[in-house]
Every structure is written in C-alpha cells, then in structure tokens.
Amino acid sequence: MSSAPAMRRIAVLGCAGSGKTTLSRALGARLGLPVIHVDTLYWRTGPESGSEWPPLHDELIAGDAWIFDGMKPGVLADRLARADTAIFLDLPRWACYRGVAERRLALRGRSLPEAGAFDRMDRALLRWIWRFPRDVRPGVLEQLRACSCDVVVLRSRAEVRRFLDRLPNAEGTAAGVAAAGNSIGAES
C-alpha cells in the first residue's frame, strides 16, 4: 500500500475571512511545521516599501518546511512553484464575511501579529471580499491548475474540519490527505 507524500511546504490560500490563519495554525500543530503568517510580515515591511516584499517572500519559500498563510497574488506563482501542497479555501462570500465578523468579536480591537490575527474590518476589506469571486478567484484557480503541487480545494468549514480530522499527528504519515478535499477541476 502506498501513501501520499508528506506535506512539507503548504500554501494556504483563500479570501479574507475564509479561515486561512486558523487552518494554518491547526496544520502547523498537527504536522509539526512552522507557520509563516504573510500579513504579519507584509505589513511589517509595509505596502509602501513594496520592493522589500518579493525578496523576503523568496527567502521564506526557500525553506525546506513551511505552512504559508496568506494570499498576496503578486508572488503566488513563485510560492506554488515551491509548494508540495496548496490548500484553497474556496468559501462563499457570506462565510468570509462571517469569518471577519467572528474575528472582530474575538479580538475586540486587538491584533496578535505573532499568530497572524488582525482585527480589521473596513470598506476596503469588505470590498475585497465582495470582489474576490470575480476579481481574484479565477486567477487563483488558473494558477492552481498550472502548478505541479497537490491541490486541495475546501468549500465549507465542515470540509475543513473533515480534512483536518483525516490528517495524522506530527509523527504519522499523510496517507489519504489528497482525498480529503475536492479536486481543482470541480468548480462551483
């Protein structure tokens, strides 16, 4: 019996509020891998210093083991080229809005950069969520189709829970993981 290859470099993708950070932290704990929170690092360098972000991103993905929590579509192709697994949280808008609202209630104005958690709810974020299915999702799906890594698409929080339940602890193997999500070709 063959088993699926171990997941060592995982790109976790999705709209704001989809649960990328929560899933990334759970994967990190379950698989014993370090989690890189993109928003923490990106906002530390600042969007105004955009030239600093691509070299930092390249340095981070050069590592042998990581879970990369975040989007940043401008460097996504490089991340997918290095990843062995991509997990796309392809949740509906309402679920993403709910995720942002729940984060807001949980954080109550605080941000926890070390955990990748930021209490942010403004017009720009709400507009990003609204436009994500039309403006961002098609490009993400195209890049996922073109990448050579294993792709898992999860379309609900229940699918995310089932996916996590099928994963071994840090000592186990990753058998059956690819079957836990939907294939990239099954679009909604």
Side-chain angles (χ1 to χ4, degrees), residues 8-181:
R8 302 284 303 154
R9 292 180 307 279
I10 305 168
V12 179
L13 313 169
C15 184
S18 63
K20 295 182 303 293
T21 299
T22 301
L23 175 59
S24 295
R25 287 194 309 244
L27 286 169
R30 195 74 177 257
L31 301 173
L33 297 174
V35 178
I36 300 167
H37 300 291
V38 174
D39 284 345
T40 300
L41 298 168
Y42 181 79
W43 293 108
R44 187 178 300 152
T45 61
E48 66 281 350
S49 62
S51 63
E52 293 176 29
W53 172 242
L56 175 58
H57 178 266
D58 291 347
E59 181 181 325
L60 294 168
I61 63 173
D64 288 333
W66 42 259
I67 297 169
F68 216 98
D69 159 29
M71 285 294 297
K72 304 302 176 256
V75 291
L76 181 55
D78 294 336
R79 188 173 332 131
L80 292 175
R82 184 81 176 112
D84 56 52
T85 306
I87 302 171
F88 181 38
L89 299 179
D90 194 15
L91 277 63
R93 278 186 196 121
W94 67 265
C96 295
Y97 281 130
R98 181 177 178 173
V100 169
E102 287 174 350
R103 178 173 58 213
R104 181 101 210 230
L105 290 171
L107 293 176
R108 296 188 187 107
R110 297 173 296 139
S111 288
L112 305 171
E114 67 282 355
F118 295 89
D119 179 16
R120 179 176 162 231
M121 185 187 288
D122 57 20
R123 282 184 180 202
L125 180 67
L126 298 176
R127 189 172 28 250
W128 164 259
I129 294 169
W130 184 258
R131 292 180 175 171
F132 187 89
R134 183 190 70 216
D135 295 348
V136 181
R137 182 181 181 269
V140 171
L141 290 172
E142 184 177 322
Q143 289 189 60
L144 289 172
R145 279 188 204 94
C147 78
S148 60
C149 65
D150 291 330
V151 175
V152 177
V153 179
L154 303 170
R155 291 191 173 84
S156 70
R157 302 221 189 273
E159 285 187 12
V160 172
R161 283 189 298 276
R162 285 192 299 271
F163 176 78
L164 284 170
D165 287 346
R166 290 184 178 130
L167 290 177
N169 288 326
E171 307 81 45
T173 65
V177 170

